[in-house]
Amino acid sequence: MSDSASDSAVLNPEQKVPALSELFTGFLAISLSGFGGVLPWARRMLVERRGWLSEREFAETLAFCQFLPGANIVNMAIIVGSRFHGAAGALTAFAGLVGVPLLIMLACGALYLHFGEFEMLRGALAGLAAAAAGLIVAMAIKMALPLVQERRVSAILFALAAFAAVGLLRLPLYWVVLVLAPLSMVWCYWRPR
Amino acid sequence: MNENPIFSLALHIALLSLVAVGGVASIVPELHRQTVELSGVLTEQQFADLFAIGQAAPGPNVLFVTLIGWQLAGFPGAALATAAITVPTCTITYFVSRVWERFKYARWRIAMQKGAVSVTIGFVAASALLIARAADQNLTAFGITAATAAIALWGRMNPLWALAAAAGLGLAGAV
Protein backbone atom coordinates (compact mmCIF):
# COMPACT_ATOMS: atom_id res chain seq x y z
CA MET A 1 0.00 0.00 0.00
CA SER A 2 1.45 3.37 -0.99
CA ASP A 3 1.40 6.37 1.32
CA SER A 4 -0.68 8.47 -1.01
CA ALA A 5 -3.37 5.81 -1.12
CA SER A 6 -3.55 5.54 2.65
CA ASP A 7 -3.81 9.32 2.94
CA SER A 8 -7.36 9.30 1.69
CA ALA A 9 -8.59 8.28 5.09
CA VAL A 10 -12.32 8.62 4.88
CA LEU A 11 -13.80 6.45 2.17
CA ASN A 12 -12.16 4.46 -0.53
CA PRO A 13 -14.09 5.53 -3.66
CA GLU A 14 -13.90 2.17 -5.43
CA GLN A 15 -14.98 0.31 -2.35
CA LYS A 16 -17.99 -1.89 -2.91
CA VAL A 17 -20.80 -1.52 -0.43
CA PRO A 18 -21.60 -4.84 1.25
CA ALA A 19 -25.20 -5.98 1.37
CA LEU A 20 -26.93 -6.27 4.73
CA SER A 21 -26.66 -10.05 4.58
CA GLU A 22 -22.90 -9.75 4.07
CA LEU A 23 -22.61 -7.45 7.07
CA PHE A 24 -24.48 -10.03 9.10
CA THR A 25 -22.35 -12.99 8.06
CA GLY A 26 -19.11 -10.99 8.34
CA PHE A 27 -19.70 -10.06 11.95
CA LEU A 28 -21.11 -13.49 12.71
CA ALA A 29 -17.84 -15.00 11.53
CA ILE A 30 -15.90 -12.54 13.69
CA SER A 31 -17.93 -13.41 16.76
CA LEU A 32 -17.41 -17.13 16.36
CA SER A 33 -13.73 -17.09 15.48
CA GLY A 34 -13.02 -14.67 18.29
CA PHE A 35 -12.39 -17.18 21.04
CA GLY A 36 -10.19 -15.48 23.59
CA GLY A 37 -9.81 -12.08 21.94
CA VAL A 38 -11.93 -10.87 19.07
CA LEU A 39 -9.93 -7.93 17.75
CA PRO A 40 -7.21 -9.74 15.77
CA TRP A 41 -9.96 -11.67 13.98
CA ALA A 42 -11.91 -8.51 13.37
CA ARG A 43 -8.87 -7.00 11.65
CA ARG A 44 -8.38 -10.08 9.51
CA MET A 45 -12.02 -10.14 8.48
CA LEU A 46 -12.68 -6.41 7.97
CA VAL A 47 -9.37 -5.46 6.39
CA GLU A 48 -7.90 -8.53 4.72
CA ARG A 49 -10.78 -10.78 3.77
CA ARG A 50 -13.70 -8.45 3.10
CA GLY A 51 -11.86 -5.19 2.45
CA TRP A 52 -14.49 -3.10 4.21
CA LEU A 53 -11.84 -0.98 5.92
CA SER A 54 -8.30 -0.06 4.97
CA GLU A 55 -5.54 -0.80 7.45
CA ARG A 56 -5.54 2.82 8.49
CA GLU A 57 -9.32 3.07 8.75
CA PHE A 58 -9.27 0.04 11.00
CA ALA A 59 -6.72 1.62 13.31
CA GLU A 60 -8.64 4.89 13.44
CA THR A 61 -11.95 3.15 14.02
CA LEU A 62 -10.38 1.14 16.81
CA ALA A 63 -9.05 4.29 18.45
CA PHE A 64 -12.54 5.72 18.26
CA CYS A 65 -14.05 2.57 19.79
CA GLN A 66 -11.56 2.76 22.63
CA PHE A 67 -12.64 6.33 23.28
CA LEU A 68 -16.28 5.30 23.69
CA PRO A 69 -17.83 3.24 26.48
CA GLY A 70 -18.78 -0.35 25.72
CA ALA A 71 -16.98 -3.33 24.25
CA ASN A 72 -14.66 -2.25 21.42
CA ILE A 73 -15.85 -4.90 19.01
CA VAL A 74 -19.52 -4.08 19.59
CA ASN A 75 -18.81 -0.43 18.88
CA MET A 76 -16.93 -1.42 15.76
CA ALA A 77 -19.93 -3.38 14.49
CA ILE A 78 -22.12 -0.31 15.01
CA ILE A 79 -19.68 1.98 13.21
CA VAL A 80 -18.98 -0.28 10.24
CA GLY A 81 -22.65 -1.23 9.88
CA SER A 82 -23.90 2.34 10.04
CA ARG A 83 -21.25 3.52 7.63
CA PHE A 84 -22.62 1.31 4.87
CA HIS A 85 -26.32 1.14 5.70
CA GLY A 86 -27.17 3.60 8.44
CA ALA A 87 -29.24 2.41 11.37
CA ALA A 88 -30.30 -0.78 9.58
CA GLY A 89 -26.67 -1.64 8.93
CA ALA A 90 -25.73 -0.97 12.54
CA LEU A 91 -28.51 -3.23 13.80
CA THR A 92 -27.63 -5.96 11.32
CA ALA A 93 -23.93 -5.95 12.16
CA PHE A 94 -24.78 -5.92 15.86
CA ALA A 95 -27.16 -8.86 15.46
CA GLY A 96 -24.53 -10.78 13.52
CA LEU A 97 -21.91 -10.14 16.19
CA VAL A 98 -24.00 -10.79 19.27
CA GLY A 99 -26.78 -13.18 18.21
CA VAL A 100 -25.04 -16.54 18.23
CA PRO A 101 -22.75 -15.83 21.22
CA LEU A 102 -25.88 -14.78 23.08
CA LEU A 103 -27.52 -18.13 22.37
CA ILE A 104 -24.34 -19.95 23.45
CA MET A 105 -24.25 -17.83 26.59
CA LEU A 106 -27.88 -18.72 27.35
CA ALA A 107 -27.13 -22.41 26.88
CA CYS A 108 -24.14 -22.11 29.22
CA GLY A 109 -26.29 -20.26 31.73
CA ALA A 110 -28.95 -22.98 31.61
CA LEU A 111 -26.34 -25.72 32.03
CA TYR A 112 -24.80 -23.85 34.93
CA LEU A 113 -28.16 -23.35 36.61
CA HIS A 114 -28.95 -27.05 36.44
CA PHE A 115 -25.57 -28.70 36.83
CA GLY A 116 -23.46 -26.02 38.51
CA GLU A 117 -23.44 -27.87 41.80
CA PHE A 118 -22.42 -31.25 40.36
CA GLU A 119 -19.20 -32.46 41.90
CA MET A 120 -17.36 -33.00 38.60
CA LEU A 121 -18.46 -29.74 37.02
CA ARG A 122 -17.60 -27.88 40.23
CA GLY A 123 -14.01 -28.97 39.79
CA ALA A 124 -13.89 -27.88 36.16
CA LEU A 125 -15.46 -24.53 37.02
CA ALA A 126 -13.02 -23.97 39.86
CA GLY A 127 -10.13 -24.50 37.44
CA LEU A 128 -11.75 -22.35 34.77
CA ALA A 129 -12.45 -19.53 37.22
CA ALA A 130 -8.84 -19.51 38.38
CA ALA A 131 -7.64 -19.28 34.77
CA ALA A 132 -10.17 -16.57 33.92
CA ALA A 133 -8.84 -14.57 36.85
CA GLY A 134 -5.40 -14.94 35.29
CA LEU A 135 -6.67 -13.45 32.02
CA ILE A 136 -7.88 -10.33 33.75
CA VAL A 137 -4.69 -10.02 35.80
CA ALA A 138 -2.79 -10.12 32.50
CA MET A 139 -5.14 -7.51 31.02
CA ALA A 140 -4.48 -5.15 33.94
CA ILE A 141 -0.72 -5.60 33.61
CA LYS A 142 -0.82 -5.16 29.83
CA MET A 143 -2.72 -1.90 30.20
CA ALA A 144 -0.52 -0.58 33.00
CA LEU A 145 2.86 -1.40 31.44
CA PRO A 146 2.96 1.49 28.93
CA LEU A 147 2.32 3.98 31.74
CA VAL A 148 5.24 2.57 33.71
CA GLN A 149 7.55 2.37 30.68
CA GLU A 150 6.78 5.93 29.66
CA ARG A 151 7.07 7.05 33.29
CA ARG A 152 3.80 8.90 33.19
CA VAL A 153 3.78 9.54 36.91
CA SER A 154 0.48 11.40 37.12
CA ALA A 155 -1.33 8.72 35.08
CA ILE A 156 0.12 6.03 37.36
CA LEU A 157 -1.07 7.93 40.41
CA PHE A 158 -4.58 8.24 38.99
CA ALA A 159 -4.61 4.51 38.20
CA LEU A 160 -3.41 3.68 41.72
CA ALA A 161 -6.02 5.97 43.26
CA ALA A 162 -8.77 4.31 41.20
CA PHE A 163 -7.47 0.87 42.17
CA ALA A 164 -7.29 1.71 45.87
CA ALA A 165 -10.72 3.35 45.93
CA VAL A 166 -12.53 0.56 44.13
CA GLY A 167 -10.42 -2.53 44.82
CA LEU A 168 -9.27 -1.91 48.39
CA LEU A 169 -11.74 0.53 49.94
CA ARG A 170 -14.63 -0.94 47.92
CA LEU A 171 -16.16 2.47 47.27
CA PRO A 172 -19.01 2.70 44.75
CA LEU A 173 -17.59 2.98 41.24
CA TYR A 174 -19.99 5.80 40.39
CA TRP A 175 -18.47 8.17 42.91
CA VAL A 176 -14.95 7.21 42.04
CA VAL A 177 -15.63 7.85 38.34
CA LEU A 178 -17.35 11.16 39.01
CA VAL A 179 -14.42 12.42 41.08
CA LEU A 180 -11.34 10.83 39.51
CA ALA A 181 -12.18 10.82 35.79
CA PRO A 182 -12.74 14.59 35.46
CA LEU A 183 -9.64 15.30 37.54
CA SER A 184 -7.58 12.94 35.41
CA MET A 185 -8.93 14.41 32.17
CA VAL A 186 -8.35 18.00 33.24
CA TRP A 187 -4.86 17.06 34.33
CA CYS A 188 -4.16 15.54 30.90
CA TYR A 189 -5.52 18.65 29.24
CA TRP A 190 -3.26 21.06 31.07
CA ARG A 191 -0.24 18.78 31.48
CA PRO A 192 -0.19 16.61 28.37
CA ARG A 193 3.06 14.92 29.38
CA MET B 1 -42.91 -4.54 46.98
CA ASN B 2 -41.05 -7.74 46.36
CA GLU B 3 -39.92 -7.18 42.84
CA ASN B 4 -37.17 -9.17 41.22
CA PRO B 5 -33.70 -7.70 41.84
CA ILE B 6 -33.07 -7.87 38.09
CA PHE B 7 -34.86 -4.54 37.57
CA SER B 8 -32.65 -2.48 39.83
CA LEU B 9 -29.63 -4.42 38.60
CA ALA B 10 -30.50 -3.68 34.96
CA LEU B 11 -30.64 0.00 35.80
CA HIS B 12 -27.21 -0.23 37.42
CA ILE B 13 -25.86 -2.12 34.41
CA ALA B 14 -27.19 0.54 32.03
CA LEU B 15 -25.57 3.30 34.08
CA LEU B 16 -22.32 1.40 34.49
CA SER B 17 -22.15 0.65 30.77
CA LEU B 18 -21.66 4.37 30.22
CA VAL B 19 -18.31 4.23 32.00
CA ALA B 20 -17.28 0.78 30.78
CA VAL B 21 -14.51 2.03 28.54
CA GLY B 22 -13.05 -0.92 26.66
CA GLY B 23 -15.62 -3.44 27.87
CA VAL B 24 -16.93 -5.13 30.94
CA ALA B 25 -13.64 -5.57 32.81
CA SER B 26 -13.65 -2.11 34.34
CA ILE B 27 -17.13 -2.41 35.84
CA VAL B 28 -16.70 -5.87 37.39
CA PRO B 29 -16.04 -4.40 40.86
CA GLU B 30 -19.35 -2.56 40.89
CA LEU B 31 -21.25 -5.54 39.46
CA HIS B 32 -19.71 -7.59 42.25
CA ARG B 33 -20.64 -4.99 44.86
CA GLN B 34 -24.23 -4.86 43.66
CA THR B 35 -24.84 -8.60 43.29
CA VAL B 36 -22.63 -10.18 45.96
CA GLU B 37 -21.99 -7.58 48.63
CA LEU B 38 -25.13 -5.43 48.74
CA SER B 39 -28.06 -7.56 47.60
CA GLY B 40 -26.54 -11.02 48.00
CA VAL B 41 -28.37 -12.35 44.93
CA LEU B 42 -25.17 -14.16 43.91
CA THR B 43 -22.60 -15.92 46.05
CA GLU B 44 -18.91 -15.17 45.72
CA GLN B 45 -18.49 -18.52 43.99
CA GLN B 46 -21.37 -18.02 41.55
CA PHE B 47 -19.96 -14.65 40.57
CA ALA B 48 -16.54 -16.15 39.87
CA ASP B 49 -18.12 -19.08 37.97
CA LEU B 50 -20.26 -16.85 35.76
CA PHE B 51 -17.35 -14.56 35.03
CA ALA B 52 -15.27 -17.58 34.01
CA ILE B 53 -17.98 -18.89 31.69
CA GLY B 54 -18.30 -15.43 30.16
CA GLN B 55 -14.57 -15.36 29.46
CA ALA B 56 -14.45 -18.87 28.02
CA ALA B 57 -17.48 -18.54 25.73
CA PRO B 58 -17.11 -16.90 22.30
CA GLY B 59 -18.30 -13.37 21.67
CA PRO B 60 -17.90 -9.96 23.28
CA ASN B 61 -17.09 -10.16 26.99
CA VAL B 62 -19.96 -7.81 27.89
CA LEU B 63 -22.19 -10.88 27.57
CA PHE B 64 -21.01 -11.78 31.07
CA VAL B 65 -23.96 -9.70 32.31
CA THR B 66 -26.28 -11.88 30.21
CA LEU B 67 -25.30 -14.76 32.47
CA ILE B 68 -26.00 -12.72 35.59
CA GLY B 69 -29.43 -11.81 34.21
CA TRP B 70 -30.13 -15.44 33.38
CA GLN B 71 -29.15 -16.53 36.86
CA LEU B 72 -31.46 -13.95 38.46
CA ALA B 73 -34.54 -14.14 36.25
CA GLY B 74 -34.19 -16.71 33.49
CA PHE B 75 -34.63 -15.73 29.86
CA PRO B 76 -36.33 -12.34 30.47
CA GLY B 77 -33.56 -11.49 32.91
CA ALA B 78 -30.90 -12.39 30.36
CA ALA B 79 -32.62 -10.29 27.69
CA LEU B 80 -32.99 -7.32 30.03
CA ALA B 81 -29.38 -7.46 31.23
CA THR B 82 -28.09 -7.77 27.65
CA ALA B 83 -30.18 -4.82 26.52
CA ALA B 84 -28.98 -2.79 29.50
CA ILE B 85 -25.30 -3.34 28.70
CA THR B 86 -25.58 -2.83 24.92
CA VAL B 87 -28.38 -0.40 24.03
CA PRO B 88 -27.06 2.77 25.74
CA THR B 89 -23.50 2.42 24.49
CA CYS B 90 -24.50 1.37 20.97
CA THR B 91 -26.80 4.38 20.73
CA ILE B 92 -24.00 6.68 21.83
CA THR B 93 -21.58 5.10 19.36
CA TYR B 94 -24.09 5.43 16.54
CA PHE B 95 -24.58 9.14 17.05
CA VAL B 96 -21.06 10.11 18.06
CA SER B 97 -19.61 8.34 15.02
CA ARG B 98 -21.37 10.92 12.84
CA VAL B 99 -19.48 13.81 14.37
CA TRP B 100 -16.24 12.03 15.22
CA GLU B 101 -14.29 13.46 12.29
CA ARG B 102 -14.91 16.96 13.59
CA PHE B 103 -13.15 16.48 16.90
CA LYS B 104 -10.90 13.51 16.25
CA TYR B 105 -7.73 15.52 16.78
CA ALA B 106 -9.11 18.03 19.25
CA ARG B 107 -6.92 18.52 22.29
CA TRP B 108 -9.81 18.09 24.71
CA ARG B 109 -10.81 14.83 23.01
CA ILE B 110 -7.33 13.36 23.37
CA ALA B 111 -7.08 14.57 26.97
CA MET B 112 -10.44 12.96 27.73
CA GLN B 113 -9.30 9.63 26.37
CA LYS B 114 -5.93 9.69 28.11
CA GLY B 115 -7.55 10.73 31.34
CA ALA B 116 -10.13 7.97 31.13
CA VAL B 117 -7.53 5.32 30.37
CA SER B 118 -5.55 5.78 33.59
CA VAL B 119 -8.67 5.53 35.74
CA THR B 120 -9.86 2.52 33.74
CA ILE B 121 -6.56 0.74 34.37
CA GLY B 122 -7.13 1.13 38.10
CA PHE B 123 -10.60 -0.36 37.73
CA VAL B 124 -9.37 -3.33 35.71
CA ALA B 125 -6.70 -3.98 38.34
CA ALA B 126 -9.41 -3.86 41.00
CA SER B 127 -11.42 -6.37 38.94
CA ALA B 128 -8.38 -8.63 38.77
CA LEU B 129 -7.98 -8.50 42.55
CA LEU B 130 -11.66 -9.26 43.18
CA ILE B 131 -11.96 -12.08 40.70
CA ALA B 132 -8.70 -13.66 41.81
CA ARG B 133 -9.76 -13.46 45.44
CA ALA B 134 -13.07 -15.15 44.63
CA ALA B 135 -11.57 -17.84 42.40
CA ASP B 136 -8.33 -18.67 44.21
CA GLN B 137 -9.44 -20.66 47.23
CA ASN B 138 -6.25 -22.74 47.37
CA LEU B 139 -2.65 -22.76 46.21
CA THR B 140 -3.35 -24.80 43.07
CA ALA B 141 -5.94 -22.29 41.93
CA PHE B 142 -3.54 -19.46 42.68
CA GLY B 143 -0.89 -21.21 40.59
CA ILE B 144 -3.35 -21.57 37.70
CA THR B 145 -4.15 -17.85 37.87
CA ALA B 146 -0.47 -16.92 37.83
CA ALA B 147 0.35 -19.35 35.01
CA THR B 148 -2.58 -18.16 32.85
CA ALA B 149 -1.58 -14.54 33.38
CA ALA B 150 1.98 -15.35 32.36
CA ILE B 151 0.80 -17.20 29.24
CA ALA B 152 -1.53 -14.38 28.26
CA LEU B 153 1.27 -11.86 28.74
CA TRP B 154 4.28 -13.61 27.29
CA GLY B 155 3.10 -16.86 25.74
CA ARG B 156 2.70 -17.39 22.02
CA MET B 157 -0.31 -19.67 22.20
CA ASN B 158 -3.94 -18.70 22.43
CA PRO B 159 -4.74 -18.25 26.15
CA LEU B 160 -7.88 -20.28 25.53
CA TRP B 161 -5.66 -23.34 25.82
CA ALA B 162 -4.79 -22.28 29.34
CA LEU B 163 -8.51 -22.06 30.15
CA ALA B 164 -9.09 -25.53 28.70
CA ALA B 165 -6.13 -27.00 30.58
CA ALA B 166 -7.30 -25.41 33.83
CA ALA B 167 -10.81 -26.78 33.37
CA GLY B 168 -9.27 -30.20 32.67
CA LEU B 169 -7.18 -30.02 35.84
CA GLY B 170 -10.29 -29.10 37.77
CA LEU B 171 -12.27 -31.91 36.19
CA ALA B 172 -9.57 -34.33 37.31
CA GLY B 173 -10.08 -33.08 40.84
CA ALA B 174 -6.80 -31.20 41.17
CA VAL B 175 -8.17 -27.76 42.06
Side-chain angles (χ1 to χ4, degrees), chain A residues 60 63-64 66 69-70 75 87 105-106 109-110 112-113 122-123 127 130-131 134 142-143 155 159 163 166 170 172-174 184 189, chain B residues 12 17-18 20-21 29-30 37 45-46 49 67 70-71 78 93-94 100 104 107 115 118 121-122 126 145 148-149 163 166 170:
Chain A
E60 287 188 347
F64 176 46
Q66 286 163 340
N75 287 337
M105 217 47 113
L106 290 179
Y112 178 74
L113 214 54
R122 275 261 36 96
K142 217 177 264 180
M143 289 175 82
F163 171 73
V166 170
R170 306 297 294 118
L173 191 101
Y174 300 114
S184 170
Y189 189 82
Chain B
H12 278 297
S17 75
L18 300 178
V21 176
E30 188 64 24
E37 292 165 46
Q45 186 189 55
Q46 284 173 326
D49 286 349
L67 287 171
W70 177 266
Q71 184 79 16
T93 301
Y94 181 77
W100 170 250
K104 192 159 70 176
R107 187 173 158 207
S118 26
I121 292 172
T145 300
T148 309
L163 293 196

Side-chain angles (χ1 to χ4, degrees), chain A residues 19-28 30-31 46 52 73-82 84-99:
Chain A
L20 281 178
S21 60
E22 288 176 285
L23 276 177
F24 184 85
T25 55
F27 278 95
L28 176 66
I30 290 172
S31 78
L46 297 174
W52 292 344
I73 186 65
V74 176
N75 287 337
M76 194 166 276
I78 298 292
I79 294 167
V80 173
S82 77
F84 292 119
H85 288 288
L91 281 174
T92 307
F94 175 80
L97 181 73
V98 169

Side-chain angles (χ1 to χ4, degrees), chain A residues 168-188:
Chain A
L168 303 178
L169 304 175
R170 306 297 294 118
L171 298 177
L173 191 101
Y174 300 114
W175 300 116
V176 183
V177 166
L178 284 179
V179 173
L180 278 185
L183 281 178
S184 170
M185 289 168 183
V186 168
W187 183 270
C188 285

